[in-house]
Amino acid sequence: MTVDVVPVNENFKGLSYGQWASIWDNWLLSEDPDNTNRKDIVFLRGNLNYSPVSSNSEYPRFSDSSGALVRIGYNAEVIFEDTAIFMPILTAQYSLGDIYDGKRLNNEQELREAVNRDSDESLCLWATLTINKRASKIVNDLREFRIESPLFKLLITDKSRLSGRTQDAAKPGMYDTVVGGFFVIIRSLPRGRYWLEFGGRGRSNYNTNSIYEITAHGLRSNVIADDSRSRCKPSLIFSKDSR
């Protein structure tokens, strides 16, 4: 099946891949990322299950490399045909003040160097779509979908559900941040039932894998149509006081 993917060098709904990644990152570390009110795009996420090796939160953090985020059955996503899907295949995020290889990141250039090093040292990537028990690649080469965000403000509140499960536990606050890696935006899926699986193995002990069941219904009933040649004409009525 050919998937309608937004080319990495094109804008989608007026925003670049990098700008969408910054919005996605704020969503990921919000109060309840798995329940979103957005109707035009659904954000997916990786398997965030990092925990410290002891009760001391300052100790190194590790995740089960065999684990996966599984969203099927009652936890499946139900969307309309015109809903886009934002997939974070393998990501890296750093904020000013973070420690990277024993060095504090003090400016935007150092943030980007850290993000790019993580992306450079990624070991493998995958993203497949399965329908009617037939799996296919979503794109031919995921390496072509490598992006970086602009420098943006990342807000983490004390109600963030996932901030304590990232590779480096994040404390509440406002951060100057860059996120990058490999991302794919599916513009839409025809009506049907699908399974998306994506993830990768990154630098050091970073592993992620996600499996989503997605059901796409018909088009949304309230989609606005451009009917400017017929009924939807602007009114040319002016009051007598108009100048």
Side-chain angles (χ1 to χ4, degrees):
M1 175 181 175
T2 301
V3 184
D4 187 6
V5 170
V6 178
V8 71
N9 59 345
E10 289 187 10
N11 285 357
F12 178 68
K13 294 183 180 293
L15 299 175
S16 68
Y17 262 82
Q19 289 170 317
W20 277 114
S22 66
I23 296 171
W24 168 83
D25 206 19
N26 271 288
W27 164 86
L28 181 69
L29 295 174
S30 65
E31 181 176 344
D32 193 5
D34 292 323
N35 290 291
T36 177
N37 292 323
R38 289 198 73 113
K39 303 300 182 184
D40 57 338
I41 189 168
V42 59
F43 291 131
L44 308 185
R45 68 176 178 87
N47 182 32
L48 292 179
N49 63 347
Y50 283 86
S51 59
V53 296
S54 78
S55 59
N56 188 336
S57 62
E58 300 299 322
Y59 277 33
R61 303 171 66 81
F62 296 92
S63 67
D64 180 3
S65 61
S66 64
L69 175 71
V70 180
R71 292 286 186 264
I72 62 175
Y74 290 112
N75 293 319
E77 294 283 352
V78 179
I79 64 175
F80 290 99
E81 285 186 59
D82 58 338
T83 303
I85 300 170
F86 187 90
M87 300 174 59
I89 311 301
L90 194 65
T91 70
Q93 170 217 292
Y94 292 100
S95 301
L96 292 182
D98 285 351
I99 303 298
Y100 187 84
D101 282 353
K103 177 184 176 182
R104 186 177 299 276
L105 302 176
N106 294 314
N107 54 55
E108 182 178 349
Q109 179 180 346
E110 292 178 353
L111 292 181
R112 297 194 180 281
E113 289 174 352
V115 166
N116 277 290
R117 180 176 176 185
D118 279 10
S119 297
D120 289 341
E121 297 183 12
S122 297
L123 300 177
C124 63
L125 308 164
W126 57 84
T128 61
L129 180 145
T130 300
I131 183 171
N132 297 328
K133 298 183 179 180
R134 297 184 62 180
S136 58
K137 288 184 176 182
I138 293 177
V139 298
N140 289 329
D141 189 354
L142 286 168
R143 292 172 298 179
E144 295 178 358
F145 286 78
R146 176 173 170 172
I147 66 97
E148 291 178 46
S149 75
L151 184 69
F152 67 95
K153 297 292 185 181
L154 174 64
L155 173 63
I156 303 176
T157 73
D158 57 1
K159 295 181 179 180
S160 172
R161 189 163 60 83
L162 296 178
S163 61
R165 292 168 57 185
T166 57
Q167 194 170 18
D168 297 300
K171 297 179 180 179
M174 182 78 77
Y175 298 90
D176 291 309
T177 301
V178 171
V179 63
F182 305 87
F183 298 81
V184 171
I185 299 175
I186 298 176
R187 198 186 309 272
S188 64
L189 287 174
R191 181 182 301 187
R193 188 180 181 194
Y194 306 87
W195 279 263
L196 295 179
E197 182 169 3
F198 60 90
R201 291 200 296 272
R203 181 174 180 265
S204 186
N205 66 328
Y206 181 36
N207 294 273
T208 181
N209 190 48
S210 299
I211 302 169
Y212 278 85
E213 176 187 350
I214 296 181
T215 299
H217 291 312
L219 292 173
R220 213 182 317 269
S221 60
N222 62 345
V223 173
I224 298 174
D226 183 351
D227 199 17
S228 53
R229 290 190 176 183
S230 56
R231 293 173 299 172
C232 298
K233 293 183 179 180
S235 172
L236 297 179
I237 300 176
F238 297 88
S239 71
K240 64 180 181 181
D241 293 326
S242 297
R243 299 290 184 267

